Amino acid sequence: MSFNLKSSIFKPLFLFLIIAQTLVNLEAKEPTIAILKSISSNDTQRFQINSNSFICEPYGVVSLEKIYAKSKKDSSCRKSIDEFYVKNRKLLYFSQSFLKLFQGYHIELKNLECVVYAKGQTTLSELLLSEGLAVNKNGFKDREFSSVYEKVSRTAKRDKKGVWNSSVLKDCASLIVNN
């Protein structure tokens, strides 16, 4: 009897081997590397893997840009964010200060958001939180990231960085809670 893949005996074995190999590869958790194609804001970047381009938003946090976009046109929230960026011009382009176009970044996709490892093991979300340019998403629970995000937020609050040193949180409280 010769080996024939079309043989009904070997089909289940072959399928089992393919599935097993796929599971081993998934378990190895090889990093996904994506190329940064553009930076729209601290909140939004466009990445590419092979020929597939996609938008990334930071995982587990609500950025000032997201709050601004959800606020009403003439609201005190929007005015506070505008004033914040007038006083802190360089923070408007914060992510552009360390993310470099056409460079590869390790990313993980979670719940339609991206964990972008922007500086070694430090994520973009952590960097935004550390500068007070984002707050933890209401009800965010993730074993891997929640405690780190909370610690970084407490430090930014203690140091009065970003939104922790402005009226943004007070003026935008309802939008922050509902995200």
Side-chain angles (χ1 to χ4, degrees):
M1 179 176 182
S2 66
F3 177 75
N4 182 350
L5 192 54
K6 293 182 180 179
S7 167
S8 61
I9 296 172
F10 291 105
K11 276 185 182 178
L13 179 61
F14 181 74
L15 288 174
F16 172 78
L17 291 173
I18 295 295
I19 291 169
Q21 184 62 43
T22 302
L23 291 174
V24 167
N25 289 345
L26 289 175
E27 188 62 33
K29 293 190 178 183
E30 291 295 322
T32 300
I33 304 298
I35 305 298
L36 179 62
K37 299 305 276 184
S38 67
I39 302 170
S40 299
S41 67
N42 290 329
D43 182 66
T44 307
Q45 300 81 40
R46 179 173 294 281
F47 284 89
Q48 185 172 342
I49 298 175
N50 297 325
S51 61
N52 300 312
S53 182
F54 55 95
I55 299 289
C56 273
E57 294 181 356
Y59 178 62
V61 300
V62 181
S63 68
L64 282 180
E65 287 82 2
K66 178 91 56 200
I67 296 166
Y68 189 89
K70 290 190 176 204
S71 66
K72 292 184 180 170
K73 197 170 194 168
D74 293 324
S75 68
S76 60
C77 175
R78 196 169 269 206
K79 288 176 187 170
S80 289
I81 294 172
D82 284 336
E83 288 171 11
F84 172 80
Y85 279 129
V86 166
K87 291 178 185 173
N88 301 282
R89 276 267 176 234
K90 67 180 182 178
L91 292 179
L92 183 59
Y93 305 103
F94 175 73
S95 64
Q96 290 178 7
S97 68
F98 56 86
L99 292 176
K100 305 299 178 208
L101 293 178
F102 308 110
Q103 183 171 319
Y105 289 92
H106 172 194
I107 65 165
E108 295 175 26
L109 301 175
K110 291 189 173 215
N111 303 329
L112 302 177
E113 296 175 332
C114 295
V115 177
V116 177
Y117 291 91
K119 283 188 166 184
Q121 292 298 318
T122 305
T123 67
L124 175 59
S125 297
E126 290 172 71
L127 293 169
L128 293 174
L129 289 167
S130 71
E131 291 299 317
L133 298 174
V135 294
N136 291 324
K137 200 176 263 188
N138 191 31
F140 178 70
K141 302 235 186 293
D142 181 295
R143 283 185 185 169
E144 186 176 358
F145 296 102
S146 290
S147 62
V148 173
Y149 288 7
E150 285 296 325
K151 182 180 177 185
V152 171
S153 291
R154 279 193 308 273
T155 303
K157 186 176 182 177
R158 181 197 68 214
D159 296 345
K160 295 183 179 357
K161 289 183 127 187
V163 297
W164 302 107
N165 191 25
S166 71
S167 62
V168 171
L169 291 177
K170 177 181 68 91
D171 292 338
C172 301
S174 65
L175 291 170
I176 293 169
V177 169
N178 294 324
N179 275 301

